[in-house]
Amino acid sequence: METLKLLRDYFPTAVFTGACLVFISEDWRVELTEHKNKDFSKSGAEPSIIRVRIGKRALDGDVISGNYHEDFQLASLGELAEQIEKYVQMAIGTNLRENVE
C-alpha cells in the first residue's frame, strides 16, 4: 500500500479507501489497486504492480467495470504517476489531477 499512499499525493482528487485509490465522477469510476509480485525466486525487490480499472456508469447508475484495465510496474514514482495519468486521460478524456468528469 506504500505506492498507493505516495500516488495519493500526486492525485489530489483521489480518495484512499485503505485498499485502493478511487476517482469517481458522474460518468466514470477509476480504481487503482496495488499488488506485490510474490515470485520469491527473483532476487531484489521489484516495484509493486499498480492495477488501473476504469468503469463507465450506465444509464441506470450502475458502474460497468472492465471497460479498461491495465497493470503498471515502473520503479520511478513520477514516471508511474505520469503514465497512469496519460492512460486514464486517453481512456476517458479528462485529467485525473484536476477532476474526473
Side-chain angles (χ1 to χ4, degrees), residues 3-4 32-34 48-52 70-72 80 84:
T3 305
L4 285 182
L32 280 63
T33 54
E34 184 172 354
S48 296
I49 296 169
I50 301 299
R51 180 162 296 146
V52 179
E70 192 65 49
D71 290 344
F72 292 82
L80 175 65
I84 289 171

Side-chain angles (χ1 to χ4, degrees), residues 6-93:
L6 294 171
L7 285 172
R8 174 178 55 184
D9 295 334
Y10 188 83
F11 298 116
T13 60
V15 175
F16 183 62
T17 67
C20 65
L21 275 179
V22 180
F23 308 84
I24 299 174
S25 74
E26 291 180 19
D27 298 322
W28 298 97
R29 175 186 170 94
V30 179
E31 184 178 293
L32 280 63
T33 54
E34 184 172 354
H35 305 272
K36 297 282 187 187
N37 188 348
K38 298 210 188 298
D39 185 355
F40 297 110
S41 66
K42 294 183 180 181
S43 63
E46 289 190 16
S48 296
I49 296 169
I50 301 299
R51 180 162 296 146
V52 179
R53 293 183 190 269
I54 302 173
K56 176 111 173 109
R57 194 169 303 276
L59 293 176
D60 64 2
D62 290 339
V63 175
I64 303 168
S65 61
N67 289 35
Y68 301 96
H69 64 280
E70 192 65 49
D71 290 344
F72 292 82
Q73 189 174 20
L74 300 166
S76 164
L77 183 67
E79 184 180 5
L80 175 65
E82 180 181 304
Q83 292 302 311
I84 289 171
E85 182 176 20
K86 186 186 301 184
Y87 174 77
V88 173
Q89 188 169 352
M90 297 294 280
I92 68 175

